[in-house]
Amino acid sequence: MDVIRIIVAGARGKMGSEAVKLVQRTENFKLVGVLDHKDGGKLLNDVSDYDGEPVRIYTDPKECLENCPADVWIDLTAPKAGYHNAKAALEYGVRTVVGTTGFTDAELDDLKAVAEEKGIGCIIAPNFAVGAVLMMKFAKMAAKYFPDVEIVELHHDQKVDAPSGTSVKTAQMISEARTKKTQGHPNEKETLKGARGADFEGMHIHSVRLPGLVAHQEVLFGGGGQLLTIRHDSFNRESFMSGVKVAVETVMNLDTFVYGLENILD
């Protein structure tokens, strides 16, 4: 089994630290470098609870890529940094697995163009929890029969983007199966601005941000005399790691860009 050399960007964040643990416990994964916003030049071993082979921290993605020959770049940072990090990795010929959300369509198109120009894989997933991916798939199935739908997503209060990438991806998938319509009364008016949430092709997305939450979403379908609710809950960030592992293993055999974990799951 070939060893996959990995760089983790955002290695000391809540998601990144779980990714470091994943790499450490996976037999054919090897951590060769990490990117963080501080402590450049220090060893990850000295500033965290990481106890594996010595790994140096870099604050500049290009310096990290130049000094740490890698097969896969895992990015779990913030949207602005994630875009630049992923683009740099692809330009260096390193496959990328990105869990950062909040990219613009133009940024996604740019990353796709670079990946295809280089002929290497790039996977961007709004959500790496397999259960969340199934929720999205089930919602798309239901939308064919229940076109009246609203989405409620709930996350911790430190999340910087709203609505979440998962909810937007869910709405995109639903729109593929649903005849476009505006949900609610045709003459409804908001007496308090924002009360109906964000509008995506007539579907409303409501974002909740509270301490104590991790990542949760429910898709509500209404029909005559009935309500169908499809819900997924992540209670900790370990729930995302099975999807990250699948993405890393899959991206090694890709030569193009993939958006959404559902596109690589059987």
Side-chain angles (χ1 to χ4, degrees):
M1 186 180 295
D2 293 337
V3 172
I4 301 175
R5 301 167 300 173
I6 296 172
I7 294 171
V8 175
R12 285 190 288 173
K14 292 178 180 178
M15 279 284 287
S17 60
E18 288 293 337
V20 168
K21 294 175 187 176
L22 168 70
V23 174
Q24 192 174 8
R25 67 174 178 261
T26 304
E27 183 178 359
N28 65 318
F29 287 6
K30 181 178 181 180
L31 189 66
V32 296
V34 300
L35 186 78
D36 202 2
H37 66 284
K38 63 180 181 180
D39 292 331
K42 295 184 179 180
L43 296 180
L44 183 63
N45 313 59
D46 296 334
V47 295
S48 73
D49 58 1
Y50 172 73
D51 60 359
E53 294 182 19
V55 172
R56 191 166 300 282
I57 299 171
Y58 293 86
T59 56
D60 180 78
K62 293 184 178 179
E63 183 184 2
C64 183
L65 289 158
E66 288 171 358
N67 288 281
C68 305
D71 302 301
V72 177
W73 176 286
I74 299 176
D75 201 284
L76 299 165
T77 58
K80 185 176 181 180
Y83 164 68
H84 292 292
N85 294 344
K87 186 172 182 179
L90 290 169
E91 288 174 339
Y92 271 80
V94 178
R95 290 170 164 80
T96 60
V97 170
V98 184
T100 304
T101 62
F103 294 135
T104 65
D105 289 341
E107 289 170 339
L108 293 174
D109 289 342
D110 190 29
L111 293 176
K112 179 179 180 180
V114 177
E116 294 184 347
E117 177 188 351
K118 294 290 185 178
I120 57 176
C122 174
I123 297 173
I124 297 182
N127 198 315
F128 279 111
V130 174
V133 175
L134 292 174
M135 170 196 62
M136 289 186 274
K137 283 180 170 283
F138 297 157
K140 182 178 179 179
M141 292 171 59
K144 181 179 178 181
Y145 307 98
F146 291 87
D148 295 291
V149 55
E150 303 216 1
I151 299 170
V152 182
E153 57 94 349
L154 309 91
H155 284 79
H156 55 90
D157 61 345
Q158 298 303 302
K159 185 171 178 59
V160 297
D161 58 321
S164 69
T166 299
S167 63
V168 173
K169 179 64 174 176
T170 303
Q172 291 171 340
M173 291 175 65
I174 288 173
S175 70
E176 295 172 5
R178 168 185 182 263
T179 300
K180 184 176 179 179
K181 64 175 295 186
T182 298
Q183 180 54 41
H185 193 284
N187 297 321
E188 72 177 11
K189 295 180 180 179
E190 291 182 331
T191 56
L192 185 62
K193 185 174 176 58
R196 293 290 286 123
D199 186 296
F200 185 97
E201 296 190 2
M203 289 176 273
H204 292 281
I205 303 175
H206 308 269
S207 297
V208 176
R209 298 290 178 266
L210 288 172
L213 297 173
V214 177
H216 318 262
Q217 180 171 294
E218 58 183 22
V219 188
L220 306 171
F221 293 93
Q226 59 183 316
L227 175 71
L228 172 64
T229 302
I230 302 174
R231 180 174 176 121
H232 176 263
D233 297 276
S234 283
F235 298 109
N236 58 53
R237 289 164 179 82
E238 185 181 357
S239 64
F240 305 115
M241 292 305 111
S242 59
V244 173
K245 182 175 184 293
V246 169
V248 169
E249 293 168 341
T250 302
V251 81
M252 291 297 297
N253 299 309
L254 290 179
D255 58 4
T256 188
F257 175 93
V258 173
Y259 182 68
L261 194 66
E262 73 279 1
N263 294 305
I264 64 171
L265 294 180
D266 294 333

